[in-house]
Amino acid sequence: MINRRKFILGTAFTSLFAYFGITYAKARKSLNPLVGAKKAFPIVISTWNHGLAANEAAWEIINGGGKAIDAVEAGVRIPEGDPKINSVGFGGYPDRDGKVTLDACIMDENGNCGSVSFLQNIKHPISVARMVMDETPHVMLSGAGALKFALDNGFKEEVLLTEKAKRAWENWLKTSKYAPIINQENHDTIGLLAIDKNGDISGACTTSGLSWKLHGRVGDSPIIGAGMYVDNDIGGAVATGMGEAVLKTLGTFLVVELMRNGSSPQAACEEAVKRIAAKQNAKDFQVGYAAINKSGNHGAYCIHKGFNYALHQNYKNVLVDSNYLMKD
Ligand code: SD4
């Protein structure tokens, strides 16, 4: 027979557990606004119109049950290998000395990351960055060291300066006027984020950087937290445009931290763009951000009209114009 005392004690304990359970759930929700949010993944999002083809390659992997980290690498390899794209990998416009120098980084759901900067003559810098992540105790390799690492690991040295890019460079040499150009040729660095069916997030970013830059210049794209950042508990962000402006604000880290503190991906991208415009003269340069949160909601924002992004969600792959800050 249950005596009265035991019964009262049992009820009290049950109530206490229930109270703390609810309080804990509430606290967790207030700490992380995404707990309990409706899921909108798998999703792939990437910068500019060359993102459409990249998204397709990434989606194929994710849709087949593959991991986000494999999808983001496969996705950005498409523009890297396309000689018609003048801002990424093979066919990228060179620096002022006629050298194509490449920057790339990659990050997985466990916070592992790899990066290469100032890498020459390797068509797929993202795969070298992946190898830095997977096979070394380091995060970043640069210049001659990155090239040696790539060659030691089976990558082939190739000429990346196409005839078209060479002609554009020779044309530029006639005046050698260096001015940042807004939305150069309407396509640029590719930054790509994906959430796989498991809900895991990864990101990749790869570029030949600003055309006609000083030899040795490295932009935001290979810097974790500048060109790209992922936190599997929160979301991810990618950046494109004037790398110096992104570097000065560690833009993608900022976007993810804003989301951690409760901002939607859209609000976080807007705040990060405003942070640049508040302290830098952003009249003549472009920066664009795209972001996703853990539930698969996305956002994007940029300084000037012209930035667009490719979104693959619900089995549709579409190009979307980003809203922008400077309306006139
Ligand atoms: C860089 N953010 O090297 C890259 C390139 C880019 O518009 O996106 N240019 O600064």
Side-chain angles (χ1 to χ4, degrees), residues 188-189 207 209-210 217 219-221 240-243:
D188 226 297
T189 294
T207 190
L210 297 181
R217 179 265 189 191
D220 59 315
S221 305
T240 181
M242 184 57 66

Side-chain angles (χ1 to χ4, degrees), residues 10 22 182 243 282 295:
I22 290 164
I182 294 171
S295 325

Side-chain angles (χ1 to χ4, degrees), residues 279-292:
K279 296 227 169 128
Q280 303 176 49
N281 182 4
K283 196 168 63 60
D284 296 325
F285 65 79
Q286 175 71 300
V287 167
Y289 291 111
I292 48 176

Side-chain angles (χ1 to χ4, degrees), residues 268-278 287-289 301-303 325:
C269 290
E270 291 183 16
E271 172 60 24
V273 163
K274 286 177 190 158
R275 201 71 74 88
I276 289 175
V287 167
Y289 291 111
Y301 202 61
C302 60
I303 300 174
L325 179 68

Side-chain angles (χ1 to χ4, degrees), residues 76-83 88-90 104 123-127 206-207:
V76 303
R77 280 175 62 97
I78 302 296
E80 277 186 344
D82 185 344
V88 182
F90 181 40
K123 194 185 267 178
H124 291 296
I126 199 65
S127 296
T206 175
T207 190

Side-chain angles (χ1 to χ4, degrees), residues 99-177:
K99 305 270 196 275
V100 180
T101 74
L102 306 174
D103 295 337
C105 73
I106 191 161
M107 191 161 189
D108 76 6
E109 77 277 10
N110 296 313
N112 298 313
C113 41
S115 151
V116 289
S117 70
F118 192 48
L119 176 63
Q120 296 180 54
N121 302 324
I122 299 291
K123 194 185 267 178
H124 291 296
I126 199 65
S127 296
V128 186
R130 171 89 190 255
M131 199 169 266
V132 172
M133 176 176 92
D134 287 345
E135 309 292 341
T136 81
H138 308 305
V139 166
M140 187 164 191
L141 291 178
S142 192
L147 177 62
K148 180 176 185 304
F149 172 78
L151 297 177
D152 287 351
N153 284 284
F155 288 83
K156 270 198 339 262
E157 215 165 348
E158 294 175 69
V159 175
L160 302 180
L161 186 67
T162 57
E163 274 309 308
K164 182 184 166 210
K166 186 161 174 258
R167 277 198 304 277
W169 169 61
E170 286 166 348
N171 202 37
W172 175 78
L173 279 178
K174 289 179 194 157
T175 56
S176 300
K177 187 168 177 289

